[in-house]
Amino acid sequence: MSRFFATGSDSESEESSSADEITPKAPGTTFKQSLLLSDDEEDTKRVVRSAKDKRFEELTNLIKTIRNAMKIRDMAKCLEEFEQLCRAFLKSKNIVDKEGVPSFYIRLLADLEDYLNQLWEDKEGKKKMNKNNAKALSTLRQKIRKYNRDYETEIAAYKENPQESADEEEEKEPEDSGSSSDSDGDGGDEGVSSKSFLKKKPEAASEASKFLKSAKGSGDESSSSDDDDDDEDWGSDTVDSGSESSDEGEGRSASLAVVFLKKTQDSDKPSEKKLGKKKKPKKKERLEEEAEEEGGEEVEGGWEKVKGGVPLVKEKPKMFAKGTEINTAVVVKKLNEILQARGKKGTDRAAQIELLHALAAIAAENNLGQGILVKIKFNIIASLYDYNPNLAAFMKPDMWKKCLDCIDELLDILFDNNNHIFIGENIAEDSENLAISDQPFRVRGCVLTLVERMDEEFTKIMQNTDPHSQEYVDNLKDEGRVCGIVDRLLAYMENKGSTEEICRIYLRRIMHTYYKFDYKAHRRSLGLQGESKSEQDQEESEGEDSAVIMDRLCKFIYAKDRTDRIRTCAILCHIYHHALHSRWYQARDLMLMSHLQDNIQHADPPVQILYNRTMVQLGICAFRQGMIKDAHNALLDIQSSGRAKELLGQGLLMRNMQERNAEQEKIEKRRQVPFHMHINLELLECVYLVSAMLLEIPYMAAHEFDARRRMISKQFHHQLRVGERQPLLGPPESMREHVVAASKAMKMGDWRTCHSFIINEKMNSKVWDLFPETQRVREMLVRKIQEESLRTYLFTYSSVYDSISMETLSEMFELEIPTVHSIISKMIINEELMASLDQPTQTVVMHRTEPTSLQNMALQLAEKLGSLVENNERVFDLKQGVYGGYFNRDQKGGYQQKQSYQRGTLNQKGGYQQKQGGYQRGGYRNQNQSNY
């Protein structure tokens, strides 16, 4: 086939066009080719394009591929195509310098940069990306930012008015496709845009009739998009071929031209229609955007498209046909029709809620009774909950307000008609009684389930709100209303509900009470009731204490509940509330009697989180009461894990995707405790470290030279090591640094320096002022620091003294003499201090039974030498194949009969080292095998 004719494919057409440009036509070839042409080849059309067209088409094809990759988030493909695009643009540099940077290229650069920035900010989406895409995203983002610096002005101009750029491209399309230009060949090329190629090519390849039409010379009135150069070139070819062929067919060719011209015009029409169809959506989009900006009512923006096909909206004006008698049966039928669309794809949930409200209004207007109204209210509340189909999504503020209003209205109806309406899950739909009659109304439904769901939605709203914003405070104000609804339902259930339902609603009330400190009861216990200023405060202070409410609700659950979970939650909340109000002994006894610590690992995660919170609060309570050892034991498990934040449900730690996938992360986020229920983690760590310091420092001083001493707190030792590794010791800044500095002072018996590091303005503001009884906690701390510093001093310097006066110790540590006497007596009784008390002189007489530091070091050296000798003997016995005559004795008690000590004999028996549990590993045997 001749290379001067295109075959319809892009690659071959490009080859042919390039051949046209490079290869000169030899004279006489036209006659031979005209003789060799077949019928099929006559139907093809030759396409001749300028260098600009080819370069721009290459760019547009690459841009199209990049946009497709953007749609499917294939970053690796985007990066590869972008690099090709940059290379292609460099090749087009001569044309770009002449014509300017094409608008479609600038448009892509701007869109691609915005798209990459959007992807980069989407943290969830980045986590889901595979490794290649994530790497390509970061690489491409850096490249596009660097590349776009050269086109900042053009991109800024495009971003200022992107609509005009799109309009300019669309205006160029009809010029290129339909209208003939009077300019030269080069002038015709200037109007060519990137999109015109994509539309021209298939037409040129598919419509063979245009071949004859263009071949009839440039005098015909044509609407083709070819240049004048093309018309002249094709005209000369046809003249040559006509002169060398026979003259028989001038009339025939004229009639054929007419036929083909007719077909060409016909075939042009559908192509114009196609172009029109393609342009319509763009115009429609522009209209929609303009309508959004102007607030027009013709097209209501992109979101309204979802509502387009829903028949419910059309039914809204005509709920019932004219003349229809509205009774209970008709309303129930209409209600069922509305509910049938619930959950189906394409159902407009907002419109469904409006319809149910309208139906409730119609039922109230026609006085159909409270039964049908209660049933409609149940369905309205259920539809409000279904408005967000995603379980993790939380209710929008307007829907939340509607939900609270509907539940309040439902409870109003139930309280007003207490003896005339029976509701329950056990009532079948067939046995419902909704019509007005002598019998009471019977409605299927469970108001307790609705209130429990409302409580869960409130928790989700608080979880998904920024805790440091004003919005969180505004949402938290709704808790008073939520608690009011729970209290109203509690009063209703106490009369009408079963024992199981009463336990469920009691637990909801407990969960809203257990973590709140009762300041009114606290002031009342301190005798400060007269300080209440407003009348509202006085009314509240006269109300029931939270301790009494918790006691009454929890004891009912302990007695009546049949499910372990509700009882477990009630016990933990009760302990938490006791601990929060410094009732240490009640909280401790309840925890020990419940034996929850034995099987809490089998509970579900929310209960485990509640257990962790309770243990932490119990530890803080013990610390406030001066029970340092109990506080340390209670906090040890949480703090030693290093995951206190996660175990208390107050946030997630960063982990790899292998440890926790996206689904597990969503589930764990739903278990998080709202911010207003959080326990201060810095206060928790400070209490733990101070408790560890008061226990660990005296113990370290008592067992300074004991090689087998154990650690009481690993985390405290870690903080000490961190402090020792610091090259430059400045004044402490963080809470941990303060505790480490205080520990070093206590080691030396300097209680005043220790006290100044633990209790100062910075530590007060961070930790101690957060306790309710701040001054009492500080006094307790000072007392404990003095006592433990005294014990540390005696442990450290007892070997220096022959005797020491208790009066001197009392003055040094500012303690009363009886206190000093009791501390020293306990140390002597527990055999911690080798001394005796001389009552007449009030002195402590040291007994020289304790070794000095030099003696201690000598003892340690002797122990280590003994262990070294023992290990050496064991190694020697293993080398000889006998270990103390134990491993290789025969049954008669003798040693190994064979005198051969070759290793092979031992290996045949399986080797004493491996089977008999020898001291040396197999590597030792293999290493020395060549010696025997």
Side-chain angles (χ1 to χ4, degrees), residues 686-697:
C686 181
V687 166
Y688 174 76
L689 289 175
V690 170
S691 303
M693 178 190 77
L694 294 173
L695 294 173
E696 191 79 67
I697 297 298

Side-chain angles (χ1 to χ4, degrees), residues 671-689:
R671 294 180 188 141
Q672 299 302 298
V673 177
F675 183 76
H676 64 280
M677 297 168 65
H678 281 194
I679 295 169
N680 190 321
L681 293 175
E682 190 173 21
L683 180 144
L684 170 62
E685 188 178 9
C686 181
V687 166
Y688 174 76
L689 289 175

Side-chain angles (χ1 to χ4, degrees), residues 365-383:
E365 283 174 14
N366 291 275
N367 298 321
L368 296 180
Q370 301 297 333
I372 188 69
L373 207 56
V374 167
K375 187 171 178 65
I376 294 172
K377 290 286 181 190
F378 268 122
N379 287 297
I380 288 173
I381 297 166
S383 298

Side-chain angles (χ1 to χ4, degrees), residues 282-294:
K282 291 185 180 177
K283 289 179 182 177
K284 191 177 180 182
E285 285 172 10
R286 277 211 305 277
L287 282 171
E288 287 174 358
E289 288 172 5
E290 287 169 9
E292 280 180 4
E293 290 172 3
E294 295 169 8

